[in-house]
């Protein structure tokens, strides 16, 4: 899978869900993208840990050969149509294909699954049914559903995941979309329910057909990249000059951005994080926000090494927290 450039992550042995986080991350307040475990071969936060790095992948599967394989769709530029075959009672016809009204004259007797609604959508658009698309990778799921894998065409903005039962964003009843913020079980993975088995046809995802690009766009799946967040002002939980103490150190980190390498960046970031940890510990700064400011400042100066930045911030703050700082006592 990594061979194809897909970003993989472990699934708990026998399950279609990722293994649990470490204790610190279960209790922790950081956002998954800033997880310090990822720099140390940790698999915390499910698909957020996904990587194409062979060393990490080898480490994971030698630690636990029983892991299944998950693929993070976003970094792998995949869109997977997840067709369910649950035997639920269909909802009112107005909710089978969101945004498309199905005339009363259309006989819907026997419609019972995502296979039916997807076929209905394809027929309505006079396009071939994706479930029959042997030009792309299709995978049969243990519960009788089907995953139809597609690659995002070049220059197409990302799509987000959705559930077919969602009232907000959905393509069709019992058809889920696995995209930017989701993952998919790789073929060959075995769970207690059975094996995810590639179906006859090619094993390589084809580009997402343009009519499906249009359908996903129509149904609100576009996720245009969020605007970069503005740096938060340090928040002081008590009056004092803690924000000013930290600001001077952050400026040094920020200034490293003027040159792409060197400038003692790691040392400066570590010093800022260490001081921040001390100020948080003494109650002069808010921990979560301070961590975010450090990460954002580091990212602006060294955008190509997010995991390394997160690691320095985390270890620096942890070390600093053993030395509480009270800036107003300084002369
Ligand atoms: Zn962790
Ligand atoms: Zn974490």
């Amino acid at each position: 899978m990594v061979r194809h450039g897909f970003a993989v992550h472990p699934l708990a042995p026998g399950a279609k869900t990722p293994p649990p986080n470490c204790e610190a991350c279960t209790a922790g307040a950081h956002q998954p993208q800033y997880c310090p475990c990822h720099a140390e071969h940790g698999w915390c936060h499910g698909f957020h840990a996904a990587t194409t790095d062979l060393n990490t992948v080898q480490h994971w599967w030698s630690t636990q050969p029983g892991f299944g394989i998950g693929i993070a769709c976003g970094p792998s530029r995949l869109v997977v149509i997840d067709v369910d075959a649950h035997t639920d009672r269909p909802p009112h016809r107005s909710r089978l294909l969101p945004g498309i009204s199905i005339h009363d004259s259309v006989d819907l007797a026997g419609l019972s699954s995502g296979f039916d609604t997807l076929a209905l959508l394809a027929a309505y658009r006079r396009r071939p049914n994706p479930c029959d698309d042997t030009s792309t990778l299709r995978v049969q799921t243990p519960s009788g559903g089907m995953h139809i894998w597609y690659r995002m065409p070049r220059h197409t903005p990302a799509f987000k995941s959705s559930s077919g039962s969602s009232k907000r964003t959905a393509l069709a009843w019992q058809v889920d979309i696995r995209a930017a913020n989701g993952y998919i079980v790789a073929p060959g993975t075995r769970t207690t329910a059975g094996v995810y088995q590639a179906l006859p046809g090619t094993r390589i995802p084809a580009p997402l057909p343009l009519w499906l690009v249009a359908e996903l766009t129509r149904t609100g799946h576009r996720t245009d990249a969020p605007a970069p967040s503005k740096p938060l002002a340090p928040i002081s939980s008590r009056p004092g000059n803690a924000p000013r103490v930290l600001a001077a150190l952050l400026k040094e980190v920020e200034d490293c951005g003027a040159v792409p390498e060197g400038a003692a960046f790691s040392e400066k970031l570590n010093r800022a994080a260490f001081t921040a940890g001390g100020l948080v510990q003494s109650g002069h700064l808010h921990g979560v926000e301070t961590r975010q400011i450090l990460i954002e400042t580091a990212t602006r100066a060294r955008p190509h090494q997010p995991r390394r930045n997160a690691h320095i911030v985390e270890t620096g703050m942890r070390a600093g927290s053993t030395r509480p700082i009270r800036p107003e006592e300084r002369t």
Side-chain angles (χ1 to χ4, degrees):
M1 283 294 152
V2 170
R3 221 160 19 97
H4 295 293
F6 297 152
V8 305
H9 62 91
L11 300 175
K16 57 178 182 178
T17 47
N21 290 352
C22 73
E23 253 178 64
C25 286
T26 304
H30 57 259
Q31 290 177 312
Q33 62 265 44
Y34 303 140
C35 181
C37 300
H38 295 163
E40 296 167 344
H41 298 321
W43 55 67
C44 300
H45 311 284
F47 68 85
H48 292 284
T51 183
T52 53
D53 177 57
L54 277 175
N55 278 334
T56 305
V57 170
Q58 270 159 8
H59 174 83
W60 285 340
W61 272 272
S62 59
T63 305
Q64 176 48 277
F67 275 156
I69 301 176
I71 313 271
C73 297
S76 307
R77 300 268 306 156
L78 289 170
V79 175
V80 179
I81 302 180
D82 176 356
V83 184
D84 286 332
H86 304 142
T87 48
D88 297 337
R89 255 176 67 101
H92 185 259
R93 61 174 64 218
S94 65
R95 290 201 49 212
L96 290 171
L97 298 177
I100 297 175
S101 57
I102 301 167
H103 196 266
D104 286 343
S105 64
V106 178
D107 181 10
L108 296 175
L111 181 143
S112 66
S113 74
F115 287 100
D116 301 321
T117 53
L118 190 57
L120 192 62
L121 178 63
Y124 178 76
R125 294 296 188 206
R126 300 184 204 289
R127 301 290 169 183
N129 186 347
C131 292
D132 302 329
D133 187 356
T134 53
S135 76
T136 198
L137 171 63
R138 297 171 307 147
V139 177
Q140 183 164 28
T141 74
S143 57
M146 190 190 289
H147 293 163
I148 308 157
W149 293 46
Y150 288 112
R151 265 189 307 117
M152 282 297 287
R154 269 173 208 274
H155 311 302
T156 310
F159 288 126
K160 61 183 168 190
S161 303
S162 72
S163 155
S165 57
S166 164
K167 284 186 178 160
R168 268 195 256 149
T169 305
L171 181 66
W173 177 67
Q174 281 209 14
V175 176
D176 298 341
I177 299 299
R178 308 298 184 91
N181 48 336
Y183 69 94
I184 193 76
V185 179
T189 291
R190 176 180 292 276
T191 68
T192 50
V195 182
Y196 287 74
Q197 191 98 55
L199 286 161
T202 177
R203 300 288 178 95
I204 297 165
L208 183 66
L210 290 179
W211 77 272
L212 284 170
V213 172
E215 285 303 297
L216 291 173
T217 303
R218 175 184 66 80
T219 47
H221 287 81
R222 281 261 306 250
T223 127
D224 292 311
S229 58
K230 278 203 284 176
L232 298 163
I235 290 173
S236 175
S237 53
R238 278 193 233 156
N241 58 358
R244 215 180 58 217
V245 170
L246 183 61
L249 291 165
L250 283 173
K251 171 112 185 13
E252 286 188 26
V253 174
E254 183 112 49
D255 288 348
C256 293
V259 287
E261 269 175 52
F265 169 81
S266 302
E267 204 184 308
K268 288 171 182 170
L269 179 58
N270 179 55
R271 197 186 311 146
F274 183 88
T275 304
L279 290 166
V280 168
Q281 190 61 30
S282 58
H284 288 84
L285 290 176
H286 187 284
V288 174
E289 277 143 40
T290 303
R291 181 179 282 103
Q292 184 149 357
I293 290 162
L294 284 161
I295 294 282
E296 283 171 1
T297 308
T299 304
R300 279 198 296 277
R302 292 287 182 272
H304 57 280
Q305 50 175 47
R307 288 186 178 189
R308 185 167 160 66
N309 293 343
H311 182 68
I312 297 170
V313 167
E314 206 59 38
T315 50
M317 284 188 73
R318 209 180 300 152
S321 67
T322 61
R323 306 268 306 270
I325 299 171
R326 295 182 175 78
E328 64 273 49
E329 291 161 11
R330 287 186 176 177
T331 49

